[in-house]
Amino acid sequence: MNSSNIKKIDILSEGKTKKVYTTNDPLKVIIHYKDDLTAFNGLKKIFLPNKGIINNDITTLVFKFLNYYGIKTHFIQKINNREQLCQKVKIIPLEFVYRNIVTGSLSKRLGIKHGKKINEGIIEIFYKNDKLKDPLINDNHAVFLEIITYNELNFIYSIIKNINNILKTYFLNRNIILVDFKIEFGKNNKNEIILSDEITPDTCRFWDEKTMEKLDKDLFRMKLKKKEKIIEHYMEILKRLNK
């Protein structure tokens, strides 16, 4: 079906920051970006005008870039300022976090100084389960829960490392340090594992290369800026990517 003939039908699901709609094409969905900004599994929440528009633009640019370099994603095209047309996938209920620099929960859990560089990178898995508050798990847990196989995990790990190599350079060329990022994967109708969800300041930690100023959701988590200033930092990321 031609993309121009795609029509939104019903809400398939709604998360903290996005809505997913079914379409008249059973293999495609429309993802709508909301203006809600949340932290700590939704315990902290504010309305941030235009955040959805900015994150839609940022994810569009990043996913197009990753697609160009051979990373398969669910992204098809941006259709308006808040919405994207994407492949319908069955989301794997795991969040994968890749860390290039120690900060946040990793620093607290291991007692390692904030800002220490990680030479080889660290990948962590979190089980997407709101009732359990998305606990940190390991490979054996994930396989035991029958969420995924070891072969699939190894495949995903290779993709994540590739994504990190591509995006570290992509952002550094725009004077942005990619500190860490959270990504999700899903399976499409061909049972292919592809990158899904989003890549934005909501899901990544970005620091300015020169000043080390935070340009991401940590501004909200740590009460570093008023919401009017937070949106300016999100916009700064978009401005740099557009260059």
Side-chain angles (χ1 to χ4, degrees):
M1 183 180 292
N2 190 295
S3 297
S4 61
N5 297 324
I6 297 293
K7 295 180 180 179
K8 190 191 305 181
I9 300 180
D10 297 314
I11 289 185
L12 179 63
S13 63
E14 181 171 1
K16 299 179 183 73
T17 60
K18 295 186 292 296
K19 295 179 183 178
V20 180
Y21 291 88
T22 59
T23 70
N24 53 329
D25 185 332
L27 301 182
K28 296 181 176 68
V29 295
I30 289 174
I31 296 179
H32 176 97
Y33 283 74
K34 304 192 295 184
D35 285 340
D36 295 325
L37 179 61
T38 68
F40 310 116
N41 289 317
L43 294 177
K44 188 177 180 182
K45 178 179 176 179
I46 60 171
F47 180 77
L48 197 61
N50 298 321
K51 193 210 77 167
I53 295 173
I54 295 169
N55 278 359
N56 183 26
D57 284 343
I58 291 172
T59 295
T60 295
L61 290 168
V62 175
F63 274 37
K64 279 184 175 180
F65 189 79
L66 289 173
N67 284 339
Y68 177 80
Y69 277 93
I71 303 295
K72 291 186 178 181
T73 77
H74 71 165
F75 177 82
I76 298 173
Q77 68 181 64
K78 177 183 170 185
I79 53 179
N80 58 50
N81 65 350
R82 286 190 180 273
E83 295 178 329
Q84 300 173 359
L85 182 65
C86 297
Q87 293 185 55
K88 185 178 181 181
V89 299
K90 182 179 181 181
I91 289 291
I92 298 169
L94 298 171
E95 294 178 344
F96 295 88
V97 175
Y98 193 97
R99 300 182 183 274
N100 291 304
I101 297 174
V102 174
T103 191
S105 62
L106 182 63
S107 175
K108 293 176 183 177
R109 274 189 277 117
L110 301 183
I112 299 175
K113 186 178 179 181
H114 162 83
K116 182 179 177 62
K117 290 184 179 180
I118 306 168
N119 293 331
E120 299 299 324
I122 292 175
I123 299 176
E124 296 179 330
I125 312 176
F126 294 84
Y127 177 30
K128 282 174 61 66
N129 186 308
D130 288 338
K131 290 182 180 179
L132 300 176
K133 299 182 180 179
D134 300 345
L136 174 67
I137 62 173
N138 62 31
D139 292 19
N140 296 325
H141 295 142
V143 174
F144 174 72
L145 291 168
E146 299 182 348
I147 294 171
I148 200 166
T149 68
Y150 287 114
N151 285 338
E152 288 172 334
L153 277 171
N154 289 333
F155 177 71
I156 286 175
Y157 289 155
S158 67
I159 295 174
I160 293 173
K161 290 176 183 177
N162 198 10
I163 289 171
N164 182 63
N165 290 334
I166 293 168
L167 291 187
K168 273 179 69 178
T169 301
Y170 176 67
F171 285 111
L172 199 56
N173 285 339
R174 292 152 180 83
N175 302 117
I176 300 166
I177 297 172
L178 179 60
V179 177
D180 57 37
F181 59 91
K182 173 188 75 67
I183 51 178
E184 299 182 24
F185 293 86
K187 293 183 179 180
N188 62 14
N189 69 306
K190 298 177 183 178
N191 209 38
E192 296 175 311
I193 294 176
I194 59 176
L195 179 64
S196 306
D197 197 40
E198 65 181 282
I199 293 180
T200 68
D202 277 9
T203 62
C204 306
R205 283 189 173 95
F206 297 125
W207 294 349
D208 181 88
E209 183 191 12
K210 296 179 180 177
T211 67
M212 305 302 283
E213 184 177 13
K214 299 177 188 297
L215 302 171
D216 56 72
K217 193 165 75 171
D218 265 356
L219 296 165
F220 174 56
R221 289 190 190 98
M222 303 170 70
K223 300 180 181 179
L224 296 176
K225 298 281 185 180
K226 294 183 179 179
K227 67 179 184 178
E228 294 82 6
K229 293 294 183 181
I230 295 173
I231 202 68
E232 289 179 11
H233 287 71
Y234 275 53
M235 180 60 76
E236 178 63 24
I237 294 290
L238 179 58
K239 286 179 180 177
R240 296 192 194 186
L241 296 189
N242 274 322
K243 289 180 181 178

